[in-house]
Amino acid sequence: MNTPIESTGAPRRVLVTGGSRGIGAATALRCAQQGWDVAVNYARDAQAAEAVCAQVRALGRQALAVQADVADEAQVLAMFDTIDRTLGPIGALVNNAGVVAENQRVADMTVQRLQRIFNTNVVGSFVCAREAVRRMSTLHASPQARAAGGGRGGAIVNLSSKAAVLGAPGWYVDYAASKGAIDTFTVGLARELALEGIRVNGVRPGIVDTDIHASGGWPDRAHTSSALIPMQRPGRPDEVAAAIAWLLSDDASYTTGATLDVAGGR
């Protein structure tokens, strides 16, 4: 087990959205190893989220599985309320929940597809960050959050994608554009919160071996696309999780507004 890093004062509680699988699950476990209690958000698969929580508890930390579709504001508000009452105000947020659709040219995309992608990947990240800031800000935390031990700063990590830089032509330009919005969001929010005790950074994974590719209609993409990657292999979820955990830690205390590529050189 990794040695926990001493906190500067923010609660050692992290919410990982989309934490029941892939990069989210690996991040939940990495955070637990580094001394965080973890709220594991999931949209549908309660069993998978509970399995991650069991692993977190086995590492000696508290864990809570909490359901919410991050594209639905009411569900996000209910999720944060549950976390507040059960674990206490969070000191960190990992905006990991995201969706992709099957490969398609822009000329064939429907408005419904675009709304689903942007409502989850962009609006969901904004709303989750908004609620986290209301609990973490040293200047603007709500009285309720302060009374419960919040208002002591914290950290946010937003999950982007290397597609934001490459554009993903012929695959999913909509997904790439949503992640480009996350890159801009990360810079803007970091500068907005720089004097409120909250650091905001991003991680931009490349092709990683997770099951998100199946939802995009290409389940074996991570391995069949290895030739596109200078390191000639897909990444592992734990490799991305390590970067996220570092950005959350006090070792990154002077890092804000940055987005770190974890993409095998792509």
Side-chain angles (χ1 to χ4, degrees), residues 73 105 122 168:
E73 182 183 21
R105 287 169 48 84
V122 182

Side-chain angles (χ1 to χ4, degrees), residues 5-262:
I5 298 170
E6 291 297 319
S7 171
T8 56
R12 297 289 288 176
R13 307 180 199 104
V14 58
L15 166 61
V16 181
T17 67
S20 65
R21 64 178 189 168
I23 292 171
T27 299
L29 297 180
R30 185 76 175 205
C31 287
Q33 291 170 348
Q34 295 192 352
W36 294 88
D37 295 331
V38 187
V40 178
N41 159 257
Y42 67 97
R44 287 173 296 277
D45 195 341
Q47 184 175 1
E50 288 292 352
V52 174
C53 287
Q55 294 178 74
V56 169
R57 295 184 190 111
L59 292 168
R61 307 308 307 177
Q62 295 186 75
L64 173 69
V66 57
Q67 190 279 332
D69 178 349
V70 300
D72 185 320
E73 182 183 21
Q75 292 187 39
V76 171
L77 294 178
M79 171 177 67
F80 273 88
D81 181 63
T82 298
I83 296 168
D84 289 344
R85 288 184 287 102
T86 307
L87 293 179
I90 62 172
L93 167 68
V94 179
N95 262 326
N96 169 73
V99 294
V100 69
E102 292 188 3
N103 297 354
Q104 195 169 60
R105 287 169 48 84
V106 171
D108 299 320
M109 292 178 182
T110 65
V111 169
Q112 289 76 18
R113 170 184 167 129
L114 297 174
Q115 289 173 333
R116 173 176 175 265
I117 295 288
F118 280 84
N119 283 343
T120 301
N121 297 359
V122 182
V123 177
S125 293
F126 266 76
V127 174
C128 287
R130 181 193 73 191
E131 294 305 309
V133 170
R134 289 174 174 177
R135 288 155 175 80
M136 297 192 297
S137 172
T138 56
L139 297 180
H140 301 295
S142 70
Q144 296 89 340
R146 291 184 185 280
R152 292 184 285 158
I156 297 172
V157 175
N158 296 320
L159 266 291
S160 177
S161 169
K162 194 65 180 181
V165 177
L166 300 174
W171 286 354
Y172 30 63
V173 173
D174 51 352
Y175 174 80
S178 75
K179 293 304 185 176
I182 291 300
D183 286 354
T184 301
F185 176 46
T186 296
V187 173
L189 188 62
R191 293 177 179 177
E192 185 169 293
L193 300 176
L195 296 181
E196 297 181 32
I198 304 173
R199 295 181 300 102
V200 184
N201 292 290
V203 170
R204 197 183 285 126
I207 298 174
V208 179
D209 190 8
T210 73
D211 59 4
I212 194 172
H213 304 295
S215 62
W218 193 354
D220 59 348
R221 176 179 179 239
H223 294 280
T224 59
S225 299
S226 292
L228 301 174
I229 307 167
M231 291 183 71
Q232 297 287 288
R233 69 168 178 86
R236 301 189 310 271
D238 64 287
E239 292 175 308
V240 182
I244 294 168
W246 179 77
L247 288 169
L248 292 177
S249 78
D250 290 345
D251 282 350
S253 58
Y254 196 56
T255 303
T256 195
T259 295
L260 176 62
D261 282 359
V262 184

